[in-house]
Amino acid sequence: TVIAVVGIIPYIALQLKAISNTFFIVLQYPEIAMPDKHAAPLFLGDNTFYIAMLLAAFTILFGTRHLDATERHEGLVAAIAFESMVKLLGFIAVGLFVTFGLYNGFGDIFERAGKVAQLSGLLTLGGEGGSYAAWASLMFLSMAAIMFLPRQFQLTVVENVDERHLNKAIWLFPLYLFAINIFVLPIAFGGLLRFPGGSVDADTFVLTLPIAEQQPWLALFAFIGGLSAATGMVIVETIALSTMVCNDLVMPVLLRMKALRLTERRDLSGLLLAIRRGAIVLILVLGYLYFYLAGEAYALVAIGLISFSAVAQFAPAIIGGIFWRGGTRTGAVCGLAAGFGVWIYTLLLPSFAKSGWLPITFLSHGLFGAELLRPQQLFGLDGLDPISHCLFWSMLANIGCYVGVSLIKGPGAAE
């Protein structure tokens, strides 16, 4: 639960950053202006804080109105299904406008991009488009995210009322991902051709291209699609995390406190709901703080990958637990702790260093000035991007400890 909460906070920060930035851009119509970094004071002077608290209120209304022994929220699932369609239609609408309205189809966009020196490199592996190691890392992280993100588990397992629904999800979910990705490259290249020189943040092309072409309704549709995507993700994620915090961190501690005499009370539902609502507010405040402290140093996709790398730490223990009978509880805990520790050192702390909240010498010279302990060139391993580098060392530590400790001790009868 601790790993899930700390690991997902950057992901919640990403959604807050996306909502606040796009809200600012839409307000400037018909001008195209990027939001100032750290223009607002912390908390009450910052619109993003109010967005976080609004999302907390929504989540409390949606997910913690009453206790259900099955933890299911069928109204929530219907809302998420609806926002998924809004998001898909908004993205496809912008994609069709860029591909066939501004240009003459896919071939035209790629041909024009190929003629620009800075863009042609993006179309080849090993160049600016990313190395083979980066591609392999992103593939692995994406697979891990689909299986191990708390919100994915919440919807696939907890909210599932009939196992047969998975037979449809197995082909419908990949089809949805395929549909929403068809226009990613045309929009990206369309934006880079329309706004050369990096004057407009690439994260905002879906919104800024319709604004630049004076299409207010399309821009509004794109904004609503992005807003629904971000709010849906935050609501499901915080419900999943608040349940975990309540059941696995707070309640076990309270039940052990004999002075509270909770074991003598017949109905604990009010206490459970209060803990979950408090956890929802706390998680969103932490997400807001990460956005404020470290969010501005990264593009949106990079913040998401920091969270995905944390979630990937669950993979060895869960997959090992399913397929390997020799795995032990102690081994799994040691593996998780080792992998999570490496993730903090190689990805989370550098994000604070790049934002100026830790000395930048930590990145360039390592901990205590030891060159071998540079967080993004750990033990002299150079030439990898930060995500691949973190994944290599964290998986090595995680799998090594999980397998090693399990082999040394051996499984007990219950295991």
Side-chain angles (χ1 to χ4, degrees):
T1 301
V2 171
I3 292 171
V5 171
V6 176
I8 297 302
I9 281 167
Y11 204 35
I12 290 171
L14 177 161
Q15 312 302 330
L16 296 176
K17 178 179 179 180
I19 295 170
S20 72
N21 286 5
T22 51
F23 185 62
F24 176 88
I25 291 165
V26 167
L27 284 179
Q28 309 305 311
Y29 184 88
E31 298 293 316
I32 292 178
M34 294 293 109
D36 291 334
K37 295 186 177 180
H38 282 329
L42 190 62
F43 290 120
L44 298 180
D46 190 354
N47 287 338
T48 314
F49 177 69
Y50 295 108
I51 291 168
M53 290 303 96
L54 264 175
L55 286 173
F58 262 106
T59 309
I60 287 166
L61 286 171
F62 252 119
T64 57
R65 259 184 317 190
H66 52 79
L67 270 189
D68 185 342
T70 61
E71 297 292 0
R72 288 190 186 129
H73 313 85
E74 292 190 21
L76 170 75
V77 176
I80 298 302
F82 180 72
E83 70 85 4
S84 298
M85 290 312 299
V86 172
K87 172 173 66 178
L88 180 65
L89 292 173
F91 201 87
I92 287 176
V94 175
L96 288 170
F97 169 71
V98 173
T99 310
F100 300 103
L102 300 183
Y103 300 94
N104 296 320
F106 290 92
D108 183 34
I109 290 183
F110 289 123
E111 191 179 331
R112 292 193 194 196
K115 289 176 182 172
V116 179
Q118 290 92 339
L119 303 189
S120 58
L122 297 172
L123 290 163
T124 56
L125 261 178
E128 287 178 70
S131 64
Y132 288 100
W135 273 92
S137 301
L138 292 179
M139 288 290 209
F140 176 77
L141 285 183
S142 303
M143 290 190 286
I146 284 170
M147 293 175 71
F148 306 127
L149 270 176
R151 68 187 174 101
Q152 297 286 134
F153 186 85
Q154 179 79 21
L155 282 175
T156 314
V157 181
V158 179
E159 303 284 358
N160 189 351
V161 293
D162 187 346
E163 280 184 39
R164 286 172 299 185
H165 291 170
L166 291 175
N167 295 332
K168 185 178 284 185
I170 281 168
W171 61 264
L172 194 57
F173 184 53
L175 183 65
Y176 182 94
L177 290 178
F178 178 72
I180 207 165
N181 277 290
I182 287 173
F183 291 110
V184 168
L185 284 176
I187 291 172
F189 283 127
L192 291 168
L193 289 166
R194 179 71 175 75
F195 309 113
S199 58
V200 171
D201 190 348
D203 286 328
T204 64
F205 285 165
V206 175
L207 201 54
T208 47
L209 280 168
I211 290 174
E213 299 301 322
Q214 307 288 300
Q215 300 284 334
W217 291 107
L218 184 60
L220 186 62
F221 190 23
F223 172 71
I224 291 169
L227 180 69
S228 66
T231 50
M233 185 252 125
V234 169
I235 287 169
V236 179
E237 198 73 81
T238 46
I239 286 172
L241 290 176
S242 67
T243 306
M244 292 166 73
V245 167
C246 174
N247 293 356
D248 299 313
L249 294 182
V250 181
M251 280 310 292
V253 172
L254 295 183
L255 287 168
R256 285 193 180 102
M257 291 181 178
K258 292 193 170 64
L260 295 176
R261 296 186 170 180
L262 291 183
T263 48
E264 296 170 21
R265 284 170 56 178
R266 291 191 64 183
D267 184 11
L268 291 173
S269 57
L271 176 66
L272 290 168
L273 284 174
I275 292 168
R276 288 183 190 183
R277 287 168 181 166
I280 286 167
V281 173
L282 179 66
I283 289 163
L284 277 158
V285 168
L286 289 172
Y288 166 71
L289 284 172
Y290 185 88
F291 155 78
Y292 193 86
L293 297 175
E296 297 298 355
Y298 290 89
L300 289 177
V301 66
I303 302 177
L305 292 175
I306 291 173
S307 276
F308 284 9
S309 303
V311 168
Q313 303 309 317
F314 295 131
I318 292 180
I319 294 172
I322 295 170
F323 293 107
W324 182 41
R325 292 198 171 191
T328 67
R329 181 179 181 277
T330 313
V333 171
C334 290
L336 278 170
F340 185 57
V342 172
W343 171 81
I344 287 175
Y345 188 74
T346 57
L347 266 190
L348 191 66
L349 294 182
S351 74
F352 289 115
K354 288 177 183 176
S355 305
W357 296 96
L358 284 176
I360 198 69
T361 51
F362 170 65
L363 275 181
S364 53
H365 300 300
L367 194 64
F368 310 124
E371 293 279 319
L372 284 177
L373 295 181
R374 286 180 298 170
Q376 297 190 330
Q377 291 92 30
L378 198 59
F379 303 127
L381 181 65
D382 216 339
L384 288 177
D385 63 283
I387 298 294
S388 304
H389 175 267
C390 166
L391 205 56
F392 174 79
W393 285 118
S394 62
M395 282 295 135
L396 188 68
N398 192 329
I399 296 169
C401 289
Y402 173 51
V403 173
V405 173
S406 295
L407 289 175
I408 290 165
K409 198 179 172 205
E415 288 166 323

